[in-house]
Amino acid sequence: MLTAMGAIRRDPLQYLNSVWSEYGDVVQFPIPRPPSYLVNEPGAVRRVLVGNSRNYGKSTIQYKALSLVTGEGLLTADTATWRRQRPLVQPAFHHETLDAVVGHVTTATRRVIADWSALPDGSIVDADEYMMHAALEVVGHALFGTDLSTDARTLTTATLDALDVVIARARVPLSPPSWLPTPGNRKLSRSVAKLDAAVSRMLMQREGQARGDSTGVDMIDLLRSSRDESGASLSEEEIRNEIVTFIVAGHETVASALSWAWSLLARNPEIQERVAAEADRVLGSRPGTLANYRELTFTKAVFDETLRLYPPAWLITRASLGEDELAGHHIPAGALIIMSPYLLHRHPAVWADASRFDPDRFLRPFERDAFIPFGAGLRLCIGRDFANVEGVLMLAELARAFRVSPLTPEMPEGAPLVTIRPQNGSPVRISRRG
Ligand code: HEM
């Protein structure tokens, strides 16, 4: 058992992969409590997330760890709370939010282009670092409007600091309880206190303040004005939890997908040229629009294929409420179900030549049950369209301005943290086009 725990801690992806290749699609882990299963069979995964989803809740160690930062927000809430929250949060993701996201993506991409243009041709940049900044800017602007105040910055940094502690905790099945004054717990409570102070200052400042910025709509206003059928609204604490949830769920996920996309495009020049040609044809020299996003079908296939090979949310967990049977295996009540989009997306029974970067596979029919970068069923990612619009437009707008090439033939190593991150960044050499 200790060996298993050590291996999970050292290299969780490698461990999951070896367990799966040795024992098959449904495997019980050698840890005592709760009975824990790796499930990597498309039909069984679908049963957990969609077909029999009533039998599976989110009361798992991973979501409990995350909720130390986000509180009971939409991502971590168990079924009853989630059912009340989802209709109240949904309006924050309406069409007008996506329109605003397009504008924020253009602004963030222009900044990257300006920074890269200031460097001599052939310079080496860390695409990962730029994508982390750009994605933070996009989610920050979408939440708070274009005026990112000092508090907004404090809030986002405190969120990311608190996440560091949570990663360590979620990775290990047994962590010291959060009330023990370990250094990690002290860092966590300091960051959470900072976070809470920044959110309440910001919400207070906005109280009654007429908003007059040019983007028109931001997500906090939508959350505050949301009412459900009974006329109920989100409390201030719930709004705090959703704001932090959006930063946690919407920043590093998109950034790491984009970062992997640049590493992949750098090593696949002919695919990169097709992205640039599509961007030229669809966008010309104009900034992207939502209509353009729908026309960028090859770039979307590139983004999908990146999410297949490097799904930022590499682990999805559930707790079984009652007994069930998954792919012929009996599952007791109270079990931890571990599903890994990373493993499922590379399952050789489903994906031909699974480790090859081949965006064209998404232009042909493919097995949707085996592609779950955003989850599936009722708890599907609420930010899926947001993320796709952001990812596709940012790739297209940057690819039409710059060509990237690799420093080494091999892809960077992946480090599974909250998302799968390239271990030492995504260094690429850039040169201006045209
Ligand atoms: C490439 C980017 C993204 C990926 C890969 C991703 C992935 C996921 C996955 C896998 C889930 C389901 C988790 C589960 O079933 O346990 C999820 C849920 C969620 N995501 Fe995302 N996400 C992304 C972007 C975003 C963005 C941009 C936002 C918000 C701005 C967001 C907000 C959420 C929320 C609130 C939930 C919980 C939804 C619910 O349970 O009703 N995500 N995401």
Side-chain angles (χ1 to χ4, degrees), residues 49 58 63 73-77 82 86 89 93 139 142-143 219 242 245-255 257 303 307 311-313 315-318 341 372-376 378-384 386-388 390:
L49 296 179
K58 277 206 169 181
Y63 285 116
L74 199 62
L75 180 62
T76 56
W82 172 83
R86 178 98 184 195
V89 176
F93 288 84
V139 77
L143 274 170
M219 296 171 87
E242 300 310 348
T245 295
F246 296 167
I247 298 171
V248 168
H251 165 228
E252 200 187 292
T253 47
V254 183
F303 197 59
L307 291 172
L315 214 60
I316 298 179
T317 56
R318 290 293 187 271
I372 53 162
F374 296 103
L378 291 174
R379 306 297 300 255
L380 180 78
C381 176
I382 202 172
R384 181 179 61 171
F386 184 133
N388 279 329
E390 179 178 355

Side-chain angles (χ1 to χ4, degrees), residues 61-349:
I61 171 143
Q62 288 72 24
Y63 285 116
K64 280 184 195 145
L66 206 54
S67 70
L68 294 173
V69 182
T70 64
E72 249 201 329
L74 199 62
L75 180 62
T76 56
D78 213 345
T79 316
T81 315
W82 172 83
R83 221 177 271 290
R84 200 186 83 71
Q85 285 180 358
R86 178 98 184 195
L88 283 162
V89 176
Q90 197 70 54
F93 288 84
H94 276 181
H95 195 268
E96 45 186 353
T97 301
L98 278 191
D99 263 337
V101 166
V102 172
H104 303 319
V105 170
T106 300
T107 310
T109 315
R110 292 236 160 118
R111 206 182 307 276
V112 179
I113 292 177
D115 286 352
W116 287 7
S117 299
L119 300 170
D121 234 29
S123 294
I124 295 169
V125 299
D126 180 4
D128 187 62
E129 189 190 321
Y130 282 94
M131 295 300 104
M132 286 293 273
H133 277 133
L136 189 57
E137 189 175 335
V138 173
V139 77
H141 284 167
L143 274 170
F144 310 116
T146 44
D147 168 34
L148 259 193
S149 62
T150 325
D151 275 341
R153 279 184 224 287
T154 313
L155 195 159
T156 38
T157 353
T159 304
L160 302 178
D161 279 353
L163 265 188
D164 280 349
V165 181
V166 164
I167 303 164
R169 187 182 286 272
R171 222 184 222 211
V172 188
L174 301 169
S175 296
S178 53
W179 47 262
L180 265 187
T182 59
N185 286 340
R186 278 203 297 271
K187 180 173 171 199
L188 181 65
S189 51
R190 267 199 313 273
S191 316
V192 170
K194 241 194 245 167
L195 204 66
D196 288 341
V199 178
S200 47
R201 264 201 312 273
M202 190 149 49
L203 290 177
M204 243 152 59
Q205 274 167 17
R206 293 167 69 105
E207 192 90 46
Q209 194 180 28
R211 305 206 44 260
D213 73 49
S214 53
T215 50
V217 52
D218 72 43
M219 296 171 87
I220 292 184
D221 288 332
L222 293 171
L223 285 176
R224 284 192 131 172
S225 57
S226 181
R227 301 285 177 274
D228 69 13
E229 280 166 0
S230 69
S233 55
L234 292 164
S235 67
E236 288 294 286
E237 188 188 344
E238 286 174 316
I239 291 178
R240 174 263 181 224
N241 292 345
E242 300 310 348
I243 293 172
V244 176
T245 295
F246 296 167
I247 298 171
V248 168
H251 165 228
E252 200 187 292
T253 47
V254 183
S256 47
L258 281 165
S259 164
W260 286 111
W262 290 116
S263 280
L264 288 162
L265 288 174
R267 287 162 183 82
N268 291 273
E270 63 306 331
I271 292 174
Q272 190 184 154
E273 289 314 304
R274 285 171 69 190
V275 172
E278 184 175 74
D280 269 343
R281 181 171 57 74
V282 173
L283 304 175
S285 54
R286 298 172 305 277
T289 63
L290 206 49
N292 292 149
Y293 158 73
R294 297 198 182 92
E295 292 169 82
L296 291 164
T297 46
F298 184 67
T299 314
K300 170 70 164 51
V302 166
F303 197 59
D304 282 344
E305 179 69 341
T306 307
L307 291 172
R308 183 183 72 82
L309 285 170
Y310 298 97
W314 57 281
L315 214 60
I316 298 179
T317 56
R318 290 293 187 271
S320 65
L321 306 177
E323 294 179 292
D324 198 8
E325 195 173 304
L326 295 176
H329 295 255
H330 173 78
I331 305 290
L336 172 69
I337 307 296
I338 300 176
M339 292 157 288
S340 169
Y342 181 87
L343 285 187
L344 193 63
H345 292 177
R346 291 167 181 253
H347 201 307

